[in-house]
Amino acid sequence: MKKNLALLLILALLSTLFCFGAGAEGLTGEIVISVGSDWVDESKAQGKSFMDAVRAYEEANPGVKVTAQGASQQDIKESFQTAALAGGGPDVVIMDNSGHAIDLAAMGLLLPLNQFISDDELEATYQPGPLNSGKFEGVYYSVPWYLDCCGLYCNTDYLEACGLSIPETWEDLDNCLKVLKENGYGGIITYKSAYAFYSFFYQNECPVIDTSGEMPEVVIDNEAGTEAWNFICKLITEDNGLVESFKEATSWDKVYESFANGEATFLLGGDWCKSGINDVGTSVNYAITDMVMGKTRATVLGGWTWNINVNTKYPELAYDFCRYMSSPETYDILKATGKHSAQTSWDVPSGLSEENQDLVVLGEQFPYTMARPSIINEKTIDEIITNAILTVVYGQANAEDSLAAMAAELRANIAANYDI
Amino acid sequence: MMHISGRKRKNLEMRKNWPGYLLIAPAIIAVLALNIYPLFRGIALSFTNYNLVRPNSPIFNTFAGLSNYQRIFTDEKFLLSIGNTFKWTAVNLVAQLVIAMLLALALNKRLRARSFFRTMSLVPWAVPHSIAAMTFTFLFNANVGIINILAVRFGLLSESISWLGNTGTAFWCVAFVAIWKGIPFQMIFILAALQNISGEIYESAEVDGATRWQQFWRITLPIIKEPLAIATILNLIGIVSCFNTIWLMTEGGPLYSTEIIYTYAYRQGFIVHDLGTASASSMVLFVIMMLISAVYLRLSRGDKEGQA
C-alpha cells in the first residue's frame, strides 16, 4: 500500500514537472514590462490601445501574465540599469533608440536577439536605422518598435507676415531667420541636446562619429563637419537663430510652450511634437514639413525599442512578447498615437489615422533618416556637442575654437570607452 | 558584599537587556546595510577600475591605486564642481542662518497670529524637494513663468530671460530655491532654543541698561550657540547633499555652472557609467563634510570646556 502511494506521489511529481516544462515551451509564465507612464494610463487613447494589446496577448496565450509598470520616460534607462545590475529588474523594457541599448549591452544587461531569431530575419523584418541603433559589437540587442525622425514645424502666421515661404534649403533657412529677426520674430526652438543638430551634419554628409570601422572615429571636424558646424554657428550668432527658451529646454514641454506661445517660428522635432503643441492649446497656425536640405537630404532618427533583461526567467516569453508588440498585430497602438512602425511592411500613409495624415510628410523622410552614432555613452557624446553649442550661444567661444575643443573631448571620451 | 567578575556582570547585563538589544537590532541592521556597507563599498570602489560599460576589459574590477583620484583631479569639471560646492555651501549656509535667525527672533516675540505665522514659515520644509524644484522651474520659465511676466510688465526687463538657462543666473536661482526650502529647518532649532531662555534674563539686562543689540550679542547668542552649532552641522549636510533640487532644475548646467560634487558623482556614475571615478568624487565630498563637521564639533566642545 505504502509502495503504491509512494509511486503515485512520484508520478504526480513527475507529471507536475512535465507540465511546467511543457509550459515553458508553450509560453507560460509571468513577465513584468517597464514602459513610459503614458502607455499604462488607460484614461487616454494611447494607454488604452496599449493595454488592450497586452490583454489580447494574454488571452491568446493562456498561462501568460504580463504586468505593465509605468516609469518616467526620462529615467527609464537609469531605473532599469540599477535594478538589472542588482540582478533584478523588469523582464522587458522599452527604451529610446538614442544609444541606451548600446550602453546596457556593453554592461551585459541585455539578452542578444540572435538566440531567438537570425540576423537575416531581423534585417528582413525591420528597417535598418532602428535595428542598427541596438547593434553592439555586431550583435542585435533591441527589437525596434516605432521610429520617428526630426522634421520642421513652421509658424505659418509669422512666415506670411514676413512674406516668407517654408524653407527648403540651408540658404532658405538662413534667409528666413534673418528676415524674421528684422521683423522681431523669434527663430528656432528645439530640445537642448544634440538631437536636432545631428541633422545638419548628416545633410552635409558628415556622420559626426564614423562607426563603420572596428573602432569609432570622430569625424566632426573633417571638411564636411566643419562646414556643417560653421552653418550651425552662423544660425546661432549672426541670425540669432535660437530663441531664449532653448537654453532651458531640458524637456520637450518647454519646446512646445515656446512654439505654441509664438516665441519661436520654427520647431525642430519629431511627430510627437504635434500632440505636444496641441495639448498646450495654441492659436498659432503651423505647418509640418521635412527638414531643410543641405548637400543632401537627411534627418536624424528617433524612436523606441523593446529590450530583454538578461536576468529574465522567461527569455522565450519575453522575446515573443517583444516580437508581438512590434508586429502588425499591434499597429492599432501606433495608429492611435500617430507613430510609424519600424517594420519594413509598414505603409506610411495608410498606417496613420485620418487626423494624423499631416504627419505623413515626416514618414516620407524615412529613406534618408540616419541613426545617431551607435557608440558607448552616447549620452555623454550628446552632452559634449550640446555644451559646444552652448559655448557659442553664450559667446564664450567662436565656431573654430568650440569645434576644436568639442572634437578633442569627443576623442578623449571614445578613447576612455574603447581599447584605442 | 558579593563580588561579581567583569565577565559575569557583562553576561548578566546582556541577559537583562536582551529585549532592548532585540528591539534596536532592526535599526542596527538597517544602518549597517544602508549606511556602513555602502560607505565601505564606496571607499573600495574609489580604488577600483570599475567602468560599467567595459566589463570585459582585463582591468575591470582590479585595484586602481590612486588613478581614479588622479583622473578626477585632472578633470576641469571636477575642479569646477569643488569650487561650486564651496560657493553653494557658503551662500546657502550664510543666507539660511541669517534669515532663519531673524525669523526665529521675530516669531519668538508676542505677535498677533503668531501661531499662524509659525505654521506658515514651516510650509517650505513640508514641500518635497521635487515639487519645490518643479514649481520654481515653472516660475522661472522664460515663456510662461510669472517672474518674467511681472518683470517685463513692470519694466524691470525689456524681454523675458531664461533664468535657469543662463550661466550667470542659474546658480543663484537654484540657490534661492534651496535657501527657501532650508530656512524652516534652521529656524525651528533656533526658535526652540530661544524659547528656553528665561524672560527674566532680558529684564535684568534691560534694568542694567543693555541695548537690544547687546542683549542679542551677549545673552541670546551665547545661550543658543550649542543648538545653533548642531543645527548648522545638520543643515550643512543637507546643503552639501542637495542633489534633487539642482538636478531637477538644471541637471548641473548650463555648462556645469550649477555642478556640485554630488551632481558630478552622479554624472560619472549614471551617465559616464564609471563607478570608480564616481566613488572617488563621493569620497572627496565625504572628506570635506567630515572636516567641516569636525571643525564645528571642536568649536562647540571648546566652548563647553571654556564655560566649565
Side-chain angles (χ1 to χ4, degrees):
Chain A
M1 181 68 185
K2 270 184 187 171
K3 249 186 189 175
N4 285 343
L5 202 65
L7 201 68
L8 207 68
L9 274 171
I10 289 165
L11 275 172
L13 198 68
L14 282 173
S15 63
T16 316
L17 280 173
F18 175 75
C19 283
F20 270 109
E25 292 298 313
L27 295 177
T28 59
E30 188 172 342
I31 55 166
V32 175
I33 61 166
S34 179
V35 294
S37 307
D38 287 346
W39 295 111
V40 291
D41 178 5
E42 290 200 64
S43 65
K44 290 178 185 156
Q46 180 178 341
K48 176 86 174 57
S49 58
F50 183 86
M51 291 309 293
D52 281 347
V54 171
R55 280 188 286 269
Y57 183 78
E58 286 177 324
E59 276 168 32
N61 296 279
V64 167
K65 183 165 167 49
V66 179
T67 306
Q69 287 178 345
S72 151
Q73 292 219 151
Q74 282 187 321
D75 303 329
I76 202 164
K77 182 223 170 185
E78 277 79 13
S79 314
F80 173 79
Q81 181 188 314
T82 311
L85 280 169
D91 301 87
V92 170
V93 61
I94 65 163
M95 268 182 304
D96 193 326
N97 64 16
S98 62
H100 295 333
I102 306 294
D103 289 353
L104 296 172
M107 292 179 212
L109 299 178
L110 297 182
L111 277 183
L113 299 181
N114 54 15
Q115 58 182 279
F116 311 109
I117 184 170
S118 71
D119 287 1
D120 290 344
E121 275 178 279
L122 276 172
E123 283 155 13
T125 313
Y126 302 101
Q127 303 219 29
L131 195 58
N132 288 331
S133 71
K135 191 176 188 178
F136 176 66
E137 292 182 343
V139 179
Y140 294 117
Y141 285 87
S142 303
V143 179
W145 184 17
Y146 61 82
L147 78 159
D148 48 57
C149 58
C150 189
L152 191 63
Y153 289 67
C154 310
N155 182 324
T156 47
D157 296 336
Y158 289 177
L159 292 178
E160 273 172 31
C162 296
L164 295 164
S165 53
I166 289 170
E168 290 177 10
T169 63
W170 281 15
E171 289 71 31
D172 290 350
L173 182 63
D174 184 24
N175 180 50
C176 274
L177 290 170
K178 278 194 174 79
V179 176
L180 286 163
K181 185 184 162 190
E182 283 163 12
N183 287 279
Y185 295 112
I188 299 167
I189 180 71
T190 188
Y191 189 63
K192 194 171 94 174
S193 79
Y195 166 72
F197 297 95
Y198 274 113
S199 300
F200 294 112
F201 289 101
Y202 296 162
Q203 287 156 12
N204 214 40
E205 295 170 344
C206 171
V208 180
I209 294 169
D210 184 2
T211 53
S212 59
E214 263 186 42
M215 287 293 161
E217 189 192 347
V218 175
V219 292
I220 199 167
D221 53 349
N222 66 12
E223 201 183 328
T226 306
E227 261 178 33
W229 180 249
N230 287 341
F231 176 68
I232 293 168
C233 292
K234 189 181 174 204
L235 294 184
I236 295 169
T237 54
E238 290 177 27
D239 302 342
N240 205 10
L242 292 172
V243 295
E244 182 73 7
S245 289
F246 169 76
K247 296 174 186 170
E248 62 179 38
T250 49
S251 72
W252 278 101
D253 291 344
K254 289 175 185 164
V255 175
Y256 310 145
E257 276 163 14
S258 169
F259 186 75
N261 289 323
E263 185 195 16
T265 306
F266 300 111
L267 181 154
L268 303 183
D271 51 29
W272 66 89
C273 293
K274 182 190 162 189
S275 57
I277 295 164
N278 294 342
D279 285 349
V280 173
T282 181
S283 56
V284 163
N285 289 306
Y286 66 91
I288 305 169
T289 184
D290 43 3
M291 277 293 276
V292 291
M293 195 174 97
K295 268 185 201 162
T296 182
R297 281 214 165 278
T299 186
V300 65
L301 175 89
W304 285 68
T305 59
W306 292 94
N307 304 273
I308 303 166
N309 188 342
V310 75
N311 302 314
T312 182
K313 286 177 188 159
Y314 302 100
E316 293 286 342
L317 173 58
Y319 170 71
D320 190 66
F321 181 76
C322 296
R323 178 209 54 76
Y324 163 78
M325 289 306 284
S326 60
S327 72
E329 292 170 77
T330 61
Y331 276 179
D332 281 349
I333 305 173
L334 303 178
K335 267 192 176 178
T337 50
K339 296 187 185 306
H340 299 280
S341 166
Q343 292 252 354
T344 46
S345 62
W346 174 263
D347 176 53
V348 171
S350 64
L352 291 172
S353 60
E354 195 69 32
E355 69 267 27
N356 283 324
Q357 284 300 309
D358 52 354
L359 296 173
V360 168
V361 66
L362 299 184
E364 284 168 349
Q365 295 187 114
F366 290 155
Y368 50 85
T369 294
M370 291 168 69
R372 279 161 278 188
S374 291
I375 48 168
I376 295 170
N377 278 354
E378 200 278 332
K379 208 168 172 182
T380 310
I381 301 290
D382 189 288
E383 193 177 280
I384 293 167
I385 298 172
T386 310
N387 283 342
I389 292 167
L390 287 176
T391 56
V392 177
V393 170
Y394 298 134
Q396 292 181 3
N398 60 25
E400 195 182 339
D401 294 342
S402 56
L403 179 64
M406 170 171 60
E409 212 176 332
L410 289 173
R411 289 194 177 98
N413 188 272
I414 287 171
N417 292 308
Y418 290 86
D419 291 312
I420 296 175
Chain B
M1 199 175 172
M2 203 170 75
H3 176 75
I4 303 172
S5 72
R7 199 173 171 181
K8 266 191 180 170
R9 185 180 290 174
K10 260 190 183 172
N11 278 343
L12 272 174
E13 270 178 14
M14 192 74 179
R15 222 176 284 166
K16 197 176 135 195
N17 295 330
W18 72 265
Y21 288 120
L22 204 67
L23 284 170
I24 62 164
I28 298 282
I29 292 167
V31 168
L32 285 171
L34 302 172
N35 290 52
I36 308 299
Y37 170 74
L39 174 66
F40 284 99
R41 179 79 175 127
I43 293 170
L45 274 176
S46 73
F47 295 102
T48 310
N49 293 302
Y50 214 90
N51 189 342
L52 284 174
V53 288
R54 303 194 65 187
N56 300 323
S57 163
I59 60 161
F60 181 74
N61 206 11
T62 56
F63 182 64
L66 290 171
S67 70
N68 287 327
Y69 290 92
Q70 202 180 344
R71 274 164 63 198
I72 59 168
F73 278 106
T74 51
D75 184 355
E76 274 177 34
K77 282 175 236 158
F78 182 70
L79 299 177
L80 182 67
S81 77
I82 293 180
N84 281 342
T85 305
F86 280 110
K87 185 174 152 192
W88 170 262
T89 309
V91 167
N92 269 278
L93 200 66
V94 171
Q96 287 184 26
L97 197 63
V98 171
I99 299 170
M101 178 70 82
L102 292 173
L103 264 176
L105 287 169
L107 291 174
N108 196 39
K109 299 254 179 234
R110 280 183 194 154
L111 299 168
R112 201 183 279 179
R114 186 169 68 170
S115 306
F116 171 76
F117 287 122
R118 281 185 179 176
T119 312
M120 288 308 290
S121 65
L122 291 177
V123 167
W125 196 23
V127 177
H129 281 283
S130 51
I131 304 288
M134 304 296 249
T135 308
F136 276 94
T137 302
F138 191 68
L139 295 177
F140 285 125
N141 188 293
N143 247 296
V144 290
I146 194 75
I147 293 168
N148 270 312
I149 291 171
L150 291 176
V152 171
R153 185 163 295 171
F154 291 113
L156 298 170
L157 289 174
S158 57
E159 55 183 19
S160 293
I161 64 161
S162 172
W163 295 96
L164 296 173
N166 282 296
T167 45
T169 51
F171 178 88
W172 299 104
C173 292
V174 183
F176 173 78
V177 179
I179 291 165
W180 175 82
K181 187 100 188 57
I183 287 169
F185 177 79
Q186 186 94 30
M187 189 205 70
I188 205 99
F189 268 86
I190 301 170
L191 189 58
L194 287 176
Q195 283 173 343
N196 283 331
I197 305 174
S198 165
E200 288 170 9
I201 303 173
Y202 292 108
E203 281 166 19
S204 312
E206 251 173 56
V207 171
D208 290 342
T211 61
R212 285 281 167 93
W213 175 249
Q214 284 172 324
Q215 285 177 28
F216 173 74
W217 201 247
R218 299 276 169 85
I219 301 169
T220 311
L221 211 54
I223 294 175
I224 66 166
K225 203 151 53 173
E226 271 183 47
L228 191 64
I230 293 165
T232 307
I233 293 164
L234 292 174
N235 205 17
L236 191 74
I237 294 164
I239 290 167
V240 177
S241 58
C242 182
F243 171 79
N244 288 350
T245 308
I246 295 179
W247 196 259
L248 288 170
M249 291 183 78
T250 60
E251 294 182 4
L255 293 181
Y256 309 106
S257 59
T258 58
E259 185 95 315
I260 60 170
I261 300 176
Y262 212 129
T263 54
Y264 177 89
Y266 178 85
R267 196 182 300 280
Q268 288 301 111
F270 287 90
I271 296 175
V272 181
H273 305 300
D274 189 344
L275 291 191
T277 51
S279 302
S281 44
S282 298
M283 283 307 123
V284 173
L285 185 64
F286 178 68
V287 169
I288 291 172
M289 283 169 82
M290 287 246 297
L291 287 175
I292 298 169
S293 301
V295 168
Y296 267 95
L297 288 170
R298 190 155 196 166
L299 280 175
S300 101
R301 204 181 302 151
D303 285 344
K304 243 183 195 175
E305 281 162 10
Q307 278 166 14

